[in-house]
Amino acid sequence: MFGRRAEAQPSFPLLDGPLRPNDALEEAEAIPVAEPHDMCIAADGSLLVSSGASLLRMNDWGDGGPVRVAEFGGAVTALACRDDGLAAVGIEGEGVKVLDADFAVHDGLYETDTRPTGTTALVFASNGDLLAADAGRDGGAYPYTRELFADSGGGRILRISENGTTTTVASQLRCPHGMVETSAGSLVISECWASGLRTTGPEAGFNELPGNPGRIHRRQSGGYLLACLSRRDPLIDFIRTEEAFAARMMAEIEPEYWVAPRLSAQADYRYPVQSGATRLFGETKPWAPSLSYGLVVLLDTDFQPGASLHSRANGTRHGITTAVEWRGGIVALSRGSGELLRVKGEHP
């Protein structure tokens, strides 16, 4: 008989109210980008986007697409831009590097011996320090799904000063994937596999999100944009309580076929979802129990949802890791489809 974890899982929230499904992401304008991970807005207003081991730059949405400005020895997994033109990049297998305004490596700044093993997000704090989200233990390939079934969180947030002094802001996190500094100076952290937001200040954190959150960014008009890698599923939450079953699944089955969130909407008979629940007359149903999904949540200044953008189960623009406001619209990055998505217009 399979054993069950003693810890209780949070109640399962529904996609309703301001989170009611729509097709905003599926109908958005798109620009293809190979192997995207993250993006940030540079000091000159251009958009920097990671593409595999390359760093791309785009001046405006309609200027012909992004162009390569730098190349590295590993995949660029996280980006952050400083107001004076500096940029920080997280590089798989190499840690964090800082670039000058010409995209050359700037030696001597933020160099630390405490190298993150899996950098998922970078943020320049108001005091000039560099904050790095580290997925922690060797959890396998991104998005570190093995951490989803671990007994405890192995992620952490590092604070790195310009001279390299490094301290740990938070630890034992379940795959921290984003963070933002509030006007009060506290830090709000998105925990991907805890399906919630944790705070170091007086703000109320919560773990009742309907998705697995990625990065979080400020909105120009106030509030925040929260990208979600996938939608939560009650079957996944149940299996997390079945420790022996989860251990056997990870030992005997390839990771891409685990009962776990996925970044892309791909059809394969080996996936652990019943076809009758997914397809009707040969077509995927929008409300199907898909293990991948596209979701951006628009939060107010108190981190409460006010609206949302979706690519539903029958869409392809899933695995949203980042969303920012840029050039009069919301630009989201879809890992599942390998695209930059632009949703124009006013949003509450």
Side-chain angles (χ1 to χ4, degrees), residues 28-31 47 58-65 326-327 331-332 340-342:
E29 300 176 68
I31 294 176
L47 188 68
M58 186 164 60
N59 285 318
D60 206 340
W61 186 261
D63 69 351
W326 184 65
R327 306 295 197 213
V331 178
L340 290 179
L341 310 173
R342 185 191 186 203

Side-chain angles (χ1 to χ4, degrees), residues 288-304:
S290 170
L291 298 182
S292 67
Y293 199 80
L295 178 62
V296 176
V297 183
L298 284 65
L299 304 173
D300 63 18
T301 54
D302 294 321
F303 296 93
Q304 299 302 307

Side-chain angles (χ1 to χ4, degrees), residues 170-173 187-191 196-200 205-206:
S171 60
Q172 297 182 324
L173 303 177
L187 193 64
V188 173
I189 304 163
S190 63
E191 285 187 270
L197 302 177
R198 177 181 296 203
T199 176
T200 62
F206 54 94

